[in-house]
Amino acid sequence: MRKYIFFFFLFFISGSRLLATHLKGGEITVKRISDKSLTYEFTLTTYTESNAANDQQEDVNFCFGDGSGIFKAKRCCGTPINLGNGTLKNIYKIEYTYPAPSLVYRVSAAIPNRNDGVRNMTRSVDVAFYVETSFSINSGLGLNSTPLLLNPAIDLTAIVGQKFIHNANAVDAEGDSLAYRLSVSKTGESETCNSASRGITTPNFRQPNEVSSIKSSFDINPLTGDLVWDTPQELGLYNCAFIVEEWRNGVKISETVRDMQIEVKDADNRAPKLTVPADVCVLAGTNIVQTITADDVASKTGRLDPLTIFSSGNVYANVDPIYAVLQPFASFNSIPRQTSPARATFSWQTACQHIRKEPYDVLFKVEDNPPTAIGNAIKLVDSKIWKIRVFAPVVQGLKVVTGASSATLSWTPYTCLLPNTSLIIYRKTGPCVTVVNKSCGTGMTLPGFVEIGRLKATETSFEDKSLQKNTNYTYVIVVAFTNSKGLEDFSPMSSGVCALIATAAPVMTQVSVLKTSKTQGEISVRWSKPLNLDTLSFPGPYQYQLKRAESISAVEFKAVGSPITDTVFVDKGLNTLERGYRYQVDVFYVKNQKLELLDSPTPASSVRLQGVAAGKTIKLSWEANVPWNNSFQVHRIYRARGNGVFNQINEISVGDPATFQYTDLGVDFVTTDGKFDVAILPDSTYTYFVETVGEYARPTWAKGLVNASQSLAIKSFIELNPCPPVLKIGSNPCDSPGGDCLPTSFTNTLTWTPTVTNLCDPQIDFYRVYFSKTVDGKYGFVGEKKGLSFLHSQSSSFVGCYYVTAVNFDGKESAKSNTVCQDNCPAFDLPNLFSPNGDQKNDLFLPMRCPSFVNQVTCTIVDRFGQVVYNYDGPLLGFGWNGKGLNGRDVPPGSYFYTCDVQFEVVDESKKKKSLKGWVELIR
């Protein structure tokens, strides 16, 4: 009898193992389903072998990461479904309501067991399958859902010596940014939610390419999600895992793990090759029609197999409505089992509701169909992601009509009324320019344009007043709106229009410094006679009253002498050394034997030169406030060579006024008037002036307008090293009362003040910023700025220490500045009452609102007799007493006493640890 019992026991054990080994892969998706409570729907999708074990797996155990116990999720949704390649798809769903927000919750599922024979872990048949998804609950995230993986883990057969590729085609409901990274296959106990026994790396796990002694690569593209094994070397089953990260405004808000299996075989088959269009950017309203093609690659025996092209993405209608785009949906037409080459057509009529910052990822996949005799009809695939960005449409029909001194723009009504839509009017003064958007560019990207107005989206006209005459103005409109991430976004630029206000009045043609002096300076001022004037209506002789203002931007003009009949005047007795001047001319004609004002041309200023010594160079810059155009011309640089004689040393092509700059290294590049190189030496003086060259759009003869600046003497400094600046850090977030206790961004603001002494080089080119997590740690370079401030963002913490250095124009770096540190706001407090009665309200003994920056919690709770009822040592995420004793049974109501030690992520050593002792009243 014992013999039969023994055999029955062996049969029972081996049969149980058989029925419990079937898991190949899967992932968990999280979807919030209520805006009134923290209720979520959790979906576990598994890919399994088709056997009795899977038939019996009617439910799975979920842990929700908040300290609660196990919850069972039922199989649903008409699954299992046979996907081919010996794989079944199973779906398990469950809803759960969380008690409070949290920076991170980790939901997980563990199922006994994986299938047998996985080569990159030890005894997979005894290892539970495990996946998890981590996500944040925060009021600022709204009804957020984690990414959905549209491409099932079924096309997972690889061939020895051939590149293998898989893309999960992850899509996000809110259009958040997605990134990818490799992970490891994990395991965990299926009958407990103890974090210490879940999420553990499987025994002796290695990445698939690390099993064979022959080298190959195995990696995932962090941007596209292409998982590539190049190339498998040995037959067998291999498991791997990767993580899909969800990012919003620079903060990671979820991680989804897909664990999956790759089977490497050897067969007379080669994977087909897919050709997809180049990634594209379109304006909303564009009808996209593209052809996708695929070619089979001949097998070793020359066989070509029929091909089928598939496509998935949230642009199609057959997707969960939470993830799918709003109508109209895209369509995909493909005939199954086509003779190579195969063709398919993608069509999508885009609309305003499709506009978003992130691209849409459309997956195309081609699958061959070999004969059954070829490795049991092993199907091989190739897949590619096609990215489509849908931009806000540009403003259409932009026109301009000029008045006496204004330009009126008009355009057709804007059709996409997006959140907070406004129209930004940009203008550029100077030659008319052709407006061309950069590839996939949005917003204003051209130099020289300035914003002059911001209008409501419903407006269709704008008047630009007080324009200069005989000057070109180019106008462009950009649409601004708030995108799905709550950030300001922009359309591409509209087409440009150019306006010119022509006039019969004279035009200013010269304001050129003849002599530089503090008291005896001289400026030559010239202007034209009236242009195309009706002399019958406005008879001569004409007289001109010159007026002067005391800086290049002044608007208060005073008459210089009496009216004259000439069109040139030399203004004398000026302080051209220390200031520039601006001139205007009033033009008079004779009417009834009296002088009448005809017009006043737009004023023009002298050229003002500035310069500084910078090491062994002299840096010059200049500006002028003139009605003609000095941009995109050739300007001339002169340097004194002694005895008041100036030598032209260079002529440079300039762009807009921001480029009116020159750095003198001492070299004379113009030899027609002699070559006079110099060495820029410390404690020496060098004198310069510049000539600008400009032109009017009209009259066409008014070109080559040459104007000289004042002469400027610049003394070079004795070579000095830069001194370190004085560094400050922004206020500590702990100093702000209230606010969001669960911040979604962690940015430190640094500002500094230059050190100015006779012992320091005052000419600083830029500043370098260095960072370390601790005061005494290793500091690394994080950025450089020419300004006096810097923003440093981190993913999950404010903690950090900084110093700044100054770098002069010779590239010399100063010593370190003072070190400043920013700390976190540690918080961990416990309540004195909780009620584990199953009403999902206050069911757990958890920290009160917003525990912050906690690294570790060690806690023991005892009853009034000193008997331990709860022990915990681990991260904050796993802490929480559910009112049960160590035996798993409910403890009676009453007072319980806790001792907890908490460790925080902070810089201040005195704040790194906190000990709490107290009592809590348990009621039911």
Side-chain angles (χ1 to χ4, degrees), residues 477-613:
I477 300 180
V478 171
V479 181
F481 60 97
T482 301
N483 64 23
S484 60
K485 297 184 179 182
L487 301 177
E488 187 175 44
D489 207 345
F490 304 95
S491 74
M493 297 177 290
S494 71
S495 298
V497 293
C498 195
L500 172 71
I501 300 176
T503 177
V507 293
M508 304 292 294
T509 59
Q510 186 183 67
V511 180
S512 185
V513 177
L514 301 177
K515 182 178 180 181
T516 300
S517 169
K518 191 170 183 179
T519 59
Q520 299 300 315
E522 298 181 4
I523 294 180
S524 173
V525 185
R526 294 177 181 269
W527 56 94
S528 72
K529 293 181 179 181
L531 308 173
N532 303 318
L533 187 63
D534 182 355
T535 56
L536 295 178
S537 301
F538 305 100
Y542 304 104
Q543 295 191 38
Y544 309 95
Q545 176 63 63
L546 182 66
K547 297 188 294 184
R548 180 181 67 221
E550 297 292 312
S551 75
I552 68 171
S553 58
V555 294
E556 296 180 0
F557 293 92
K558 295 181 180 180
V560 179
S562 301
I564 61 175
T565 58
D566 200 357
T567 57
V568 59
F569 183 86
V570 177
D571 195 12
K572 301 180 180 181
L574 304 174
N575 182 6
T576 53
L577 178 68
E578 297 177 337
R579 67 177 55 160
Y581 294 89
R582 193 178 187 206
Y583 293 90
Q584 187 176 47
V585 174
D586 291 340
V587 184
F588 296 89
Y589 70 99
V590 177
K591 181 177 181 181
N592 299 326
Q593 298 182 343
K594 293 183 180 180
L595 292 178
E596 293 285 342
L597 180 65
L598 172 66
D599 204 345
S600 299
T602 304
S605 79
S606 60
V607 181
R608 195 68 190 159
L609 176 64
Q610 297 176 331
V612 294

Side-chain angles (χ1 to χ4, degrees), residues 6 53 77 85 355 362 404 518 533 846 849 864 879:
F6 177 72
C77 315
N85 272 11
I355 298 167
V362 182
K518 191 170 183 179
L533 187 63
L846 291 170
R849 185 177 182 267
R864 59 194 179 92
F879 173 74

Side-chain angles (χ1 to χ4, degrees), residues 83-126:
L83 299 178
N85 272 11
T87 301
L88 299 182
K89 176 181 178 180
N90 307 268
I91 297 176
Y92 303 85
K93 288 183 180 289
I94 187 172
E95 294 182 7
Y96 183 75
T97 301
Y98 282 94
S102 176
L103 192 61
V104 179
Y105 280 118
R106 184 179 67 182
V107 59
S108 59
I111 310 173
N113 270 350
R114 295 177 182 269
N115 54 349
D116 196 7
V118 179
R119 296 195 59 192
N120 57 329
M121 65 181 71
T122 300
R123 290 193 57 79
S124 60
V125 68
D126 295 326

